[in-house]
Amino acid sequence: MLRSCLPALLLLAASTQAAVVNCAPASSGFTVLLSEPSGGALPDRAAVERFLNKLQFQLDQERDERWINPGAAPVAFRACLKRAPALDGSEFSAEVVEQLNDQRVLLEVWGVVERDGTPPALSAQINYLLVPLRFAADQRETVPAGLQRLRYPEAGAAPTQDAVQLVSRPLDLDAFIATSLGLKLLRERAYEPAHANLCRAHGLLGAMLKRGLTGRSKAELTSLHAHVLASATRTLREALADPAYPKAGLLRLQQPAQPCAGGE
């Protein structure tokens, strides 16, 4: 019986490996990976490729980001063709996450996009893997969920037939990028840009929580919101305790009791 099942098991293993093919990050700076979504709204390869390429172009070229780039290290988006993680993120082992973290990947975005209802309209669950947060969890640190899940359209939003318009949520992406960038820079002891991004993320996440989210999404986002503020406090304390931090450093003007006063 086991021998007869072996070919099917090998085929399943091969398909799982194919779902997380490598996607080259930016050669410098930081990267957000845009991986392929599943679901019936994108019926063929051509539709998937058009979606990812249009999404990357829109995120790279057609808006003003609200995270804070640390000097000459910008954040670039990469369309990852043929990279299609499972919806539960089960492929992201500690080894995979460590590799992404070493490559300075901040975020991976994927999910499922469906077309249903009468008249038909698009809906989606989009996953956001915050790589520095998942990396911290793999190091046995106490942190919130590194995989945040959100559903679109949000309650009360007008229906759309454009998948890119549905999922290219500037507020959400900017909040998660600022969070990941702040946490990554804190681990690298780049205190001032870490603090700036964590405080920016705290404000953006707070705006997201005003949307009336429910259930697991709300609980996980609320936990992340609190963690970001605590991390801003930690950034101040570590900077002030670090002998290498400049005596005229701007963070010496901040109070740990109000780590983001005037900075969101």
Side-chain angles (χ1 to χ4, degrees):
M1 178 68 177
L2 179 59
R3 184 173 298 175
S4 65
C5 293
L6 188 56
L9 292 173
L10 291 174
L11 181 61
L12 177 61
S15 66
T16 300
Q17 291 173 351
V20 286
V21 297
N22 287 335
C23 182
S27 58
S28 62
F30 300 92
T31 306
V32 174
L33 301 183
L34 307 172
S35 293
E36 291 190 0
S38 58
L42 303 171
D44 53 37
R45 289 297 317 160
V48 170
E49 292 183 11
R50 283 195 302 271
F51 166 79
L52 281 181
N53 289 329
K54 182 180 177 183
L55 180 62
Q56 177 184 330
F57 178 82
Q58 182 163 318
L59 295 177
D60 259 338
Q61 305 292 335
E62 296 188 348
R63 66 190 195 87
D64 296 324
E65 68 269 9
R66 283 173 284 185
W67 64 87
I68 299 167
N69 282 320
V75 176
F77 294 88
R78 287 288 181 268
C80 297
L81 299 176
K82 298 184 179 179
R83 182 179 174 95
L87 198 58
D88 64 1
S90 55
E91 297 95 340
F92 292 101
S93 64
E95 292 76 17
V96 170
V97 171
E98 183 175 13
Q99 181 183 39
L100 293 173
N101 189 66
D102 289 346
Q103 293 172 334
R104 307 190 97 189
V105 173
L106 298 175
L107 191 68
E108 182 155 356
V109 183
W110 79 101
V112 57
V113 184
E114 300 286 3
R115 188 186 304 275
D116 47 33
T118 305
L122 294 178
S123 63
Q125 175 187 309
I126 300 300
N127 292 348
Y128 301 88
L129 180 71
L130 284 70
V131 173
L133 199 60
R134 176 62 72 84
F135 178 76
D138 291 338
Q139 307 307 305
R140 303 294 189 268
E141 298 177 23
T142 302
V143 295
L147 181 59
Q148 298 283 322
R149 305 168 177 88
L150 295 174
R151 297 200 64 84
Y152 305 108
E154 61 192 70
T160 180
Q161 299 297 327
D162 185 332
V164 171
Q165 181 182 348
L166 179 70
V167 305
S168 60
R169 309 293 299 186
L171 173 62
D172 302 1
L173 279 164
D174 289 0
F176 292 138
I177 291 171
T179 297
S180 291
L181 191 53
L183 294 173
K184 178 69 170 172
L185 292 169
L186 172 56
R187 192 173 290 274
E188 295 177 355
R189 296 187 175 88
Y191 299 117
E192 290 183 3
H195 178 263
N197 275 289
L198 289 167
C199 288
R200 180 63 53 84
H202 187 255
L204 295 173
L205 292 168
M208 290 173 64
L209 285 167
K210 294 177 181 177
R211 288 209 305 247
L213 299 171
T214 60
R216 181 178 184 177
S217 294
K218 181 178 180 179
E220 291 180 343
L221 199 65
T222 299
S223 179
L224 181 62
H225 187 231
H227 179 73
V228 162
L229 187 63
S231 296
T233 298
R234 176 186 161 195
T235 304
L236 291 179
R237 288 176 174 157
E238 290 191 9
L240 298 180
D242 188 342
Y245 185 67
K247 294 188 181 301
L250 294 176
L251 296 185
R252 296 189 185 278
L253 303 175
Q254 297 283 341
Q255 298 297 320
Q258 294 181 303
C260 292
E264 297 184 11

